[in-house]
Amino acid sequence: MKNKVILIGLLIIILSIGLFILTGCTKKYVLADIKNYVENNIGIKNYTMKERYTEIKGEDGYEDYYWHIRYNQIDFDVIDNYYYGMESVSNRLENNFDEKVLDYYYGKYANASKITYKKDYVYEKNTLICEVANDQGVIDEIKLKQCYDELVNFIKTIDFKTYPIKNISVEITNSSKHVKWKSIYNNKRICTFDEFKKDE
């Protein structure tokens, strides 16, 4: 009988460890957490939000939770993203606010044909792109400057006080693949061309 109790105890411990490994350090986010994230991480107020999340299975096979938000002219999501990392399942809050703001401004930009805004080669999300490198990945500085100038004209149409985007990255590509990322807007200002050119 004593051995049976010990065996059951060991089995419970093993199952608990297994459950911990599978679930990892996850946190269950509730509505108040999402509101706090929207107001303090994204930096907006006066939005409307669905009180219930939508479950969507990610490409990694884990269920993610999407909290849908309407703010002024845009709709975006805060995503409770579950993923496998560091030998266990973890989760973190992410959002697509910046992308949806860029979508909105690109959609009404009068000179949209002068810039490239499409899915990037790395994350497959809408991104500003400068196709200015050759097949070896060497960047043509004259083409880079032309692209930079056109992107700056577009970025200047964005109302950053209303839509507080924190960073805008540009994907540098050749005709068929990713070369590198460069930051064109950071710390509440547009980078100079010298900063943009040197950014690695």
Side-chain angles (χ1 to χ4, degrees):
M1 183 72 176
K2 188 175 180 183
N3 287 341
K4 190 174 181 181
V5 171
I6 292 171
L7 186 62
I8 291 170
L10 283 173
L11 188 59
I12 290 170
I13 290 169
I14 290 168
L15 288 172
S16 298
I17 291 170
L19 184 62
F20 175 77
I21 288 170
L22 288 174
T23 58
C25 298
T26 60
K27 176 182 177 179
K28 181 65 176 174
Y29 291 102
V30 297
L31 187 64
D33 297 318
I34 306 304
K35 288 181 177 179
N36 182 62
Y37 177 86
V38 169
E39 293 171 15
N40 295 302
N41 289 67
I42 297 175
I44 60 171
K45 294 184 178 179
N46 301 318
Y47 54 87
T48 58
M49 177 177 167
K50 287 189 176 178
E51 294 190 3
R52 181 83 181 146
Y53 54 76
T54 301
E55 295 181 34
I56 299 175
K57 184 174 282 191
E59 291 181 3
D60 56 9
Y62 292 101
E63 290 287 337
D64 299 324
Y65 302 94
Y66 283 66
W67 300 79
H68 190 72
I69 296 155
R70 174 77 176 172
Y71 172 68
N72 287 346
Q73 303 299 316
I74 67 163
D75 293 284
F76 70 99
D77 300 285
V78 172
I79 304 120
D80 182 3
N81 181 24
Y82 281 74
Y83 59 95
Y84 188 81
M86 299 298 290
E87 301 181 353
S88 64
V89 177
S90 300
N91 68 321
R92 64 174 174 244
L93 292 181
E94 301 172 351
N95 69 84
N96 55 12
F97 177 78
D98 291 0
E99 182 183 351
K100 296 301 183 181
V101 172
L102 288 176
D103 287 349
Y104 170 69
Y105 276 94
Y106 178 74
K108 66 176 194 166
Y109 184 48
N111 295 313
S113 62
K114 292 186 176 182
I115 64 174
T116 301
Y117 181 67
K118 63 180 184 179
K119 293 195 183 303
D120 67 76
Y121 287 106
V122 180
Y123 303 107
E124 296 187 351
K125 295 182 178 179
N126 286 342
T127 305
L128 294 169
I129 292 174
C130 286
E131 188 181 309
V132 295
N134 63 18
D135 290 343
Q136 289 72 44
V138 177
I139 296 171
D140 182 319
E141 192 169 312
I142 293 172
K143 289 182 179 178
L144 183 66
K145 179 64 164 67
Q146 291 170 342
C147 185
Y148 167 85
D149 288 341
E150 293 295 347
L151 293 182
V152 167
N153 289 338
F154 166 63
I155 290 167
K156 284 180 177 177
T157 68
I158 299 172
D159 177 0
F160 287 99
K161 287 184 179 177
T162 302
Y163 299 100
I165 294 176
K166 293 179 176 61
N167 181 66
I168 300 175
S169 295
V170 176
E171 184 181 33
I172 306 300
T173 72
N174 60 23
S175 60
S176 62
K177 66 181 181 180
H178 171 85
V179 173
K180 63 175 61 176
W181 293 104
K182 288 183 176 289
S183 179
I184 196 167
Y185 180 86
N186 201 4
N187 294 323
K188 298 183 179 179
R189 70 180 188 87
I190 298 171
C191 301
T192 66
F193 178 65
D194 283 340
E195 291 169 333
F196 180 68
K197 179 175 65 173
K198 291 176 184 176
D199 180 43
E200 297 297 330

